[in-house]
Amino acid sequence: MQHTYRFLLAFSLLSLATASVGRAQSLVSGFLPGKGHGSVVVSGTLERYQSVYLAPEKIDRVPIFDRVEVSSVNLYGSYGITDKLEAVVSLPYIQSKGFADERVLRELGYVNKRAGLQDITLLLKAKLFSTEIGTNVLDVLGVVSGSTPVSDYKSESGLGYIIAIGNGARKVSGQGVVHLKTLSGVFVTGQAGYSVRDNSAPNAFVAETKVGYAGPKLYIDALASFQKSDKSGTDILQPNFNDFFPATRVDFVRLGVSAFRPLAKGFGLTVGAATYVAGRNLGKSTGVSAGVAYNF
């Protein structure tokens, strides 16, 4: 069973673990790979949205660009430093494409596409406590992470940066994780924490709940993610908004599912989907993802 958990670790972490404009990645699970074990994952995601969650209400079209399509490729790696300590690194390449009229673009000096490497994230996860509850195991973990842009992608003032590939902010986060796994393979994971950002991006409370099954030949999960930004942030097109999108107050509720099927010799395939069901200052995006992983 321990080998099964090691093999499926990357895919519990992979639940749409490619970066998306305006939201944080979910790189945290309740599983640990064990000393000397880890995973390398290459995944791709395609997201689209036309409606936008603004304050005080949703609008049906993206300002200027009508609709937006975001595609990304993410490189992810994890390694067990000890049986109780894991290191994770993630780096996405993102292309954000709008569909503004060419005449409008010429008049405003905007472009319909922005692309580049976004932010590298480094994460450490440690098991702090573990106990048995009957035949079940309850683990408590602590997580610290940081991210910073690795390219000079622009995220400046002006409505043309609606399609920016990121907010250009450096982030430091801390989270607590509670993970209950049963003998049958069913598990429940809850996590909550706080993210501190610069570049005028408001700090945010983040949380996630995941329920799933991790077996020898199949991994599946369903998740709900939540972010609530500090009130210091601005609202798009509202008073005090100065066209600087990194300073906007981004809130969301996101639902998703993912599944993984192991193949021979450490390789496996994963698929997933996610959608936003509520939010503030972000697109009502729905996305699908697929990835290939190697576990060692």
Side-chain angles (χ1 to χ4, degrees), residues 1 13 24 36 75 79 104 117 166 177 196 205 217 225 231 286-287:
M1 181 61 71
L13 295 173
L75 177 63
Y79 181 76
V104 173
L117 290 172
V177 182
V196 178
F205 170 79
K217 295 183 179 181
S225 300
K231 293 182 179 180
T286 295

Side-chain angles (χ1 to χ4, degrees), residues 7-18 40-45 74 76 218-221 257-263 267-273 288-294:
F7 193 80
L8 295 172
L9 170 67
F11 315 100
S12 64
L13 295 173
L14 186 61
S15 302
L16 287 181
T18 48
V40 177
V41 184
V42 178
S43 61
T45 295
N74 190 70
Y76 161 93
L218 179 67
Y219 171 94
I220 56 174
D221 72 31
V257 295
S258 67
F260 165 72
R261 179 74 177 180
L263 302 176
F267 287 93
L269 300 175
T270 185
V271 294
V288 294
S289 69
V292 178
Y294 175 71

Side-chain angles (χ1 to χ4, degrees), residues 190-219:
Q191 57 184 274
Y194 195 71
S195 177
V196 178
R197 295 105 184 253
D198 67 2
N199 197 32
S200 299
N203 302 334
F205 170 79
V206 293
E208 183 176 279
T209 300
K210 187 181 295 184
V211 178
Y213 168 77
K217 295 183 179 181
L218 179 67
Y219 171 94

